[in-house]
């Protein structure tokens, strides 16, 4: 029986996505993993279909349930919350530029089980050398195994407790936003929960691998900020 519902929103980036899925499938706990394909290219869609039985994930094509253009993070969260509550499971977001270790998910679950007041529990992100990287640079240099924080968590690899899922309804999420990491982190605190970052359960993160256009920030910053502000991309 699955111990957690794991979701991965996907927009192209098929190589990193398959790395993510393979790592999740190799976890030392049984999971129910759903990949949400958010209007990717036909090539990406075909690769996701080809690999779903081989790796072992469910696949939802958002084009089958909405005509709203990508990104559709709000819809993914809403559908996933409903399913997690129906299954009686916590919800774990693992994004498509993240690679977990074999024991990452079991560590997150064990921590949440031992901290009944937890709302969100995230894994710190590191680069290929094991050095803390974006978006958790704010915790670089910290040595404790866990951090109880009032700062926002990233959804790179973050577990939502069943108690929080029951307390806060995602149907009220703001339509004007694209991403909800900061907002939901604050809502968990407002609902009386505590948020944690586990420094002893690091995950490999390739920043912006799930949103390749953001690499422009380093390669072509003028175009990046044009897309971000003039085109209104990446609203948080």
């Amino acid at each position: 029986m699955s111990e957690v519902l794991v979701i991965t929103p996907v927009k192209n980036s098929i190589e990193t996505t398959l790395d993510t899925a393979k790592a999740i499938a190799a976890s030392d706990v049984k999971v129910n993993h759903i990949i949400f394909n958010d209007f990717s290219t036909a090539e990406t869609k075909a690769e996701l279909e080809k690999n779903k039985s081989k790796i072992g994930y469910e696949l939802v094509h958002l084009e089958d349930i909405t005509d709203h253009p990508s990104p559709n993070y709000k819809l993914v969260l809403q559908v996933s919350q409903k399913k997690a509550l129906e299954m009686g499971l916590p919800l774990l977001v693992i994004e498509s530029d993240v690679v977990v270790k074999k024991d990452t998910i079991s560590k997150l679950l064990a921590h949440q089980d031992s901290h009944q007041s937890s709302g969100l529990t995230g894994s710190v992100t590191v680069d290929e050398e094991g050095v803390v990287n974006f978006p958790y640079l704010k915790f670089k240099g910290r040595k404790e195994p866990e951090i109880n924080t009032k700062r926002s968590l990233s959804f790179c690899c973050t577990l939502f407790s069943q108690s929080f899922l029951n307390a806060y309804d995602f149907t009220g999420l703001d339509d004007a936003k694209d991403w909800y990491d900061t907002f939901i982190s604050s809502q968990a605190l407002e609902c009386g929960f505590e948020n944690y970052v586990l420094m002893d359960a690091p995950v490999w993160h390739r920043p912006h691998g799930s949103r390749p256009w953001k690499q422009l920030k380093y390669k072509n910053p003028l175009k990046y900020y044009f897309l971000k502000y003039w085109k209104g991309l990446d609203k948080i």
Side-chain angles (χ1 to χ4, degrees), residues 76-208:
V76 169
L77 289 171
Q78 291 171 341
V79 170
S80 301
Q81 180 184 42
K82 183 174 184 293
K83 188 171 182 66
L85 290 173
E86 289 172 350
M87 297 175 72
L89 296 175
L91 175 65
L92 175 59
V93 179
I94 300 178
E95 295 188 332
S96 62
D97 52 8
V98 168
V99 175
V100 299
K101 295 182 179 180
K102 190 177 185 67
D103 63 352
T104 298
I105 297 176
S106 58
K107 282 185 173 181
L108 287 166
L109 290 169
H111 184 275
Q112 204 160 78
D113 284 345
S114 64
H115 294 73
Q116 295 301 309
S117 64
S118 65
L120 307 181
T121 308
S123 286
V124 71
T125 57
V126 299
D127 62 19
E128 202 166 2
E129 304 301 319
V131 178
V132 173
N133 68 354
F134 177 86
Y136 284 121
L137 289 169
K138 56 198 172 191
F139 298 130
K140 192 172 184 178
R142 299 281 291 268
K143 301 300 183 185
E144 60 268 54
E146 67 178 48
I147 298 173
N148 183 328
T149 181
K150 297 192 182 301
R151 303 185 71 172
S152 66
L153 273 67
S154 164
F155 288 171
C156 286
C157 181
T158 294
L159 182 66
F160 298 52
S161 69
Q162 286 181 261
S163 297
F164 175 59
L165 291 176
N166 277 294
Y168 183 74
D169 187 354
F170 292 169
T171 60
L173 293 173
D174 187 353
D175 287 335
K177 296 180 183 294
D178 292 328
W179 317 110
Y180 298 91
D181 314 50
T182 299
F183 180 76
I184 290 180
S185 295
S186 67
Q187 290 304 303
L189 297 174
E190 288 188 21
C191 288
F193 295 96
E194 296 181 298
N195 295 337
Y196 295 88
V197 174
L198 301 191
M199 303 297 287
D200 62 353
V203 294
W204 177 30
H205 180 220
R206 289 170 277 192
H208 310 316

Side-chain angles (χ1 to χ4, degrees), residues 8 26 45 50 56 60 64 85 104 114 130 151 162 174 227-228:
T8 303
K45 182 177 179 180
K50 185 174 77 173
V60 174
D64 295 336
L85 290 173
T104 298
S114 64
R151 303 185 71 172
Q162 286 181 261
D174 187 353
L227 291 170
K228 180 175 175 66

Side-chain angles (χ1 to χ4, degrees), residues 36-39 60-67 72 75-76:
F36 288 89
N37 172 33
D38 193 3
F39 291 85
V60 174
H61 298 296
L62 293 179
E63 64 196 54
D64 295 336
I65 58 176
T66 185
D67 58 6
N72 283 291
L75 178 61
V76 169

